[in-house]
Amino acid sequence: MKNETREQDKKRLNSDLIVGTFSLALGALVYFSTRELSRFGGVFVDYVVIALVALSAIVLVKGFIKPEYIIFFDSVVERNNVLVGICILLLYLIALPIIGFLPSSYTFYFCFNLYLADDRFTKKNILSSMLLTVVVVTAFYFIFHGFLEVPLPRSMWSE
């Protein structure tokens, strides 16, 4: 009985420290890689980074005061779903500078929508994913490129 409890305790990790540290690192990465954005584009990013760092600090403090120990992946299926999601995201990040913002974003958002859906390949889900993809990605394009004047990645052939 004691061995089972010890083995479960070994698998449990302080999620607050892990998430807080990762979020702080992400905030620093975004901050230092976006210093040359336009004035309007930089304002949006700066507010998001400030919020991210503030919330990360709160989570880190909580991790020391009242930590929450969890098992990150209860099953192999859950772990594999997260890994597939990370692979889709990495493919998107690789495709951005090669084919540009719009084609890669349309493809990524559509694929991720299908992947996260319960009924992945039904006609209804495919059509709703296509419609949602067009609306969301196009809206982001006009907000960030048109209004905030954020330089979005262009394809390597259009430069």
Side-chain angles (χ1 to χ4, degrees):
M1 182 76 172
K2 286 185 179 182
N3 286 340
E4 289 177 20
T5 306
R6 284 187 197 149
E7 193 154 330
Q8 280 186 344
D9 286 340
K10 288 180 185 178
K11 293 180 183 178
R12 293 181 183 274
L13 301 171
N14 186 338
S15 62
D16 297 319
L17 290 182
I18 293 170
V19 171
T21 304
F22 177 78
S23 298
L24 274 178
L26 181 63
L29 176 71
V30 170
Y31 177 80
F32 290 114
S33 63
T34 58
R35 293 302 87 204
E36 64 278 342
L37 290 177
S38 69
R39 191 181 98 199
F40 291 126
V43 168
F44 176 79
V45 172
D46 288 345
Y47 281 124
V48 170
V49 168
I50 289 168
L52 179 64
V53 168
L55 293 173
S56 301
I58 292 169
V59 170
L60 277 173
V61 170
K62 181 190 174 293
F64 287 110
I65 295 172
K66 188 178 178 188
E68 182 176 342
Y69 293 94
I70 64 168
I71 299 173
F72 271 91
F73 303 112
D74 288 330
S75 68
V76 174
V77 173
E78 187 177 296
R79 184 196 67 214
N80 290 344
N81 285 341
V82 170
L83 291 176
V84 168
I86 290 171
C87 287
I88 292 172
L89 180 61
L90 288 175
L91 287 173
Y92 171 66
L93 294 175
I94 291 168
L96 267 173
I98 298 170
I99 62 174
F101 175 78
L102 281 176
S104 58
S105 295
Y106 284 130
T107 305
F108 164 75
Y109 200 87
F110 178 72
C111 291
F112 218 65
N113 244 351
L114 282 181
Y115 181 70
L116 292 176
D118 291 330
D119 302 321
R120 289 187 183 149
F121 297 108
T122 62
K123 186 176 181 178
K124 178 184 175 188
N125 189 41
I126 291 172
L127 290 175
S128 66
S129 290
M130 289 173 88
L131 178 64
L132 189 62
T133 296
V134 169
V135 169
V136 170
V137 172
T138 305
F140 277 131
Y141 176 78
F142 284 119
I143 289 169
F144 286 98
H145 183 71
F147 178 66
L148 296 174
E149 299 174 3
V150 175
L152 298 173
R154 296 170 46 173
S155 73
M156 60 189 234
W157 301 285
S158 66
E159 293 180 11

